[in-house]
Amino acid sequence: MAEIVLRNLVKTYPGTRTPATDDISLEVRDGEFLVLVGPSGCGKTTLLRMIAGLEAPDSGSVQIGGRDVTDLPARLRGLSMVFQSYAIWPHMRVRQNIAFGLAMRKTPKAEIDRRVGEAAELLHLSEYLDRYPAQLSGGQRQRVAVARAIVTDADVLLMDEPLSNLDALLRMEFRTELKRIVGKLGTTTVYVTHDQAEALSLGDRVAVLRDGRVAQVGPPLEVYDSPADEFVGGFLGAPPMNFLPARVDRADGRSRLRIGDQSTAAPVALGDYPGDEVTVGVRAENVEVFDADGPDRLAARVEVVEPTGAAILLTVELAGRQLKVQAPPTFRIGPGSPVWLAVDPDRLRCYHPADSTAIT
Ligand code: ATP
């Protein structure tokens, strides 16, 4: 068992005023893939380094597999790491690079050969074992770094932006590969990225960090569909969630959301907030776009049309605000044209405008 339990981790670097991590508590289950995601400087790497034992917390504790390791040096924590700068040795062949950790532990040669062979196969590196890193592509080098980390059979795998040196296509390919490999190994994994797409696709759960704190933690689609606040909704997803000021009205016994001088059906839960100002959050793909008016549709005007292949992304103006909405690829419309928008009230999220916390 290799669950990780982090309790109240506080770390302020000398010479800085604000904590890099500010009372973070998190649990990673045995065999789980947890992604730490958030904007630059939110404390992801610091948290990972505290799990690794490369940074000491000012207070709080780290447990791995039921053992308190807060004061244990990195090499005794039973973990493996992959970093952004994959740090493979240029003067060693792929085979020696992968074997490095095992050789350091004086593993018998036959055992090293067997495990290197297995890791190479898993990462599609078998035919490159006798090459030097300079003779490999970026993606292949990254795979060597991952092979080196998994070959030791560590209980915990820690990865810090391991794909950030790859171009967009390789990154996507390798992401899929990584998901397959880690899924197969079942190693408890903590993965740091600032890339929200990576977080959504890789994690069993994602923890969104902001200013050294956990803004939300949960399964990717739950966090994506029901962000706890405007920050999370804005950070996860491309395009970010749309936010609009609205007011809760009541008409004919039903709640309506008034947006500018128009209104649309409100989520049932807003029945308790008549007259309140709220912030409405809605994802681009949850807005239906029409070229004609109809019941419960909101009139808007197209500003920008961006085909993405699978869909058409429209930037529209509604009640003086810009919104990103998604139309089917066959939808024909030009800038300046009127459009009508419809949203299923169950797909709307509503927030208190004062502190951005969720109402629905
Ligand atoms: P990025 O995505 O840019 O790598 P991050 O979320 O991993 O960012 P950290 O590297 O953990 O963030 O940094 C958190 C905060 O701590 C930042 O404000 C950063 O400037 C600060 N910080 C990190 N390392 C040090 C250090 N060695 N000395 C002083 N301050 C540091």
Side-chain angles (χ1 to χ4, degrees):
M1 294 292 279
E3 79 280 2
I4 304 171
V5 180
L6 311 177
R7 289 267 176 264
N8 308 103
L9 286 174
V10 178
K11 171 79 189 178
T12 306
Y13 288 102
T16 62
R17 286 205 189 144
T18 44
T21 64
D22 189 2
D23 199 18
I24 290 188
S25 295
L26 266 177
E27 294 184 11
V28 193
R29 301 178 198 120
D30 183 43
E32 185 179 35
F33 195 122
L34 179 85
V35 179
L36 302 176
V37 67
S40 184
C42 68
K44 308 178 290 290
T45 296
T46 302
L47 190 60
L48 196 78
R49 288 175 61 84
M50 287 194 284
I51 301 173
L54 299 172
E55 208 70 70
D58 302 335
S59 58
S61 67
V62 178
Q63 278 181 32
I64 298 177
R67 193 164 60 125
D68 191 320
V69 298
T70 317
D71 299 318
L72 210 63
R75 69 192 151 79
L76 300 179
R77 293 193 183 193
L79 38 83
S80 249
M81 281 175 267
V82 185
F83 295 106
Q84 178 177 349
S85 57
Y86 22 78
I88 53 177
W89 306 107
H91 60 285
M92 284 185 195
R93 293 180 196 273
V94 168
R95 185 187 305 281
Q96 281 85 40
N97 260 293
I98 299 178
F100 188 75
L102 295 173
M104 293 284 283
R105 286 174 209 190
K106 310 234 179 316
T107 311
K109 168 132 185 8
E111 170 84 2
I112 293 184
D113 286 348
R114 187 182 61 78
R115 285 171 54 178
V116 169
E118 278 173 11
E121 199 164 309
L122 200 58
L123 282 140
H124 304 307
L125 285 168
S126 305
E127 58 189 291
Y128 306 107
L129 283 172
D130 292 316
R131 291 206 193 171
Y132 286 99
Q135 299 168 309
L136 300 176
S137 70
Q140 290 161 343
R141 275 180 228 162
Q142 194 67 69
R143 296 215 291 268
V144 175
V146 174
R148 193 175 59 180
I150 63 171
V151 81
T152 52
D153 265 344
D155 295 334
V156 171
L157 189 56
L158 303 178
M159 295 198 246
D160 193 351
E161 307 250 11
L163 310 187
S164 57
N165 285 327
L166 307 180
D167 66 40
L169 188 61
L170 265 182
R171 211 181 155 107
M172 192 125 107
E173 267 178 36
F174 198 62
R175 188 173 86 192
T176 312
E177 202 123 300
L178 200 61
K179 186 160 180 161
R180 177 180 66 83
I181 292 162
V182 177
K184 210 167 185 174
L185 294 172
T187 313
T188 308
T189 303
V190 184
Y191 185 102
V192 161
T193 182
H194 63 269
D195 180 333
Q196 52 85 31
E198 237 167 75
L200 290 172
S201 80
L202 283 174
D204 293 323
R205 286 189 306 150
V206 298
V208 184
L209 267 56
R210 179 192 195 183
D211 298 337
R213 289 175 168 265
V214 178
Q216 188 170 6
V217 58
L221 288 185
E222 188 181 302
V223 178
Y224 179 83
D225 282 336
S226 303
D229 58 25
E230 279 188 52
F231 167 78
V232 176
F235 185 77
L236 277 192
M241 197 175 218
N242 296 295
F243 294 100
L244 283 172
R247 192 186 151 81
V248 185
D249 274 355
R250 254 181 116 68
D252 304 331
R254 289 169 185 240
S255 308
R256 309 271 307 163
L257 275 171
R258 177 152 295 282
I259 298 170
D261 56 4
Q262 309 184 66
S263 83
T264 185
V268 176
L270 283 189
D272 296 338
Y273 297 84
D276 278 18
E277 305 288 337
V278 295
T279 301
V280 172
V282 63
R283 295 271 180 208
E285 68 272 22
N286 291 332
V287 179
E288 244 188 306
V289 186
F290 297 92
D291 57 6
D293 199 359
D296 245 357
R297 292 183 191 169
L298 300 164
R301 184 161 299 277
V302 176
E303 289 188 345
V304 185
V305 179
E306 293 172 86
T308 62
I312 297 180
L313 186 64
L314 301 176
T315 305
V316 304
E317 188 264 330
L318 172 70
R321 295 281 177 138
Q322 273 194 342
L323 238 69
K324 301 274 190 199
V325 299
Q326 199 172 290
T330 48
F331 196 78
R332 291 286 165 262
I333 197 102
S337 307
V339 280
W340 285 266
L341 312 176
V343 191
D344 175 352
D346 289 340
R347 310 297 297 187
L348 286 175
R349 298 288 164 250
C350 294
Y351 299 87
H352 292 288
D355 58 7
S356 287
T357 54
I359 303 171
T360 65

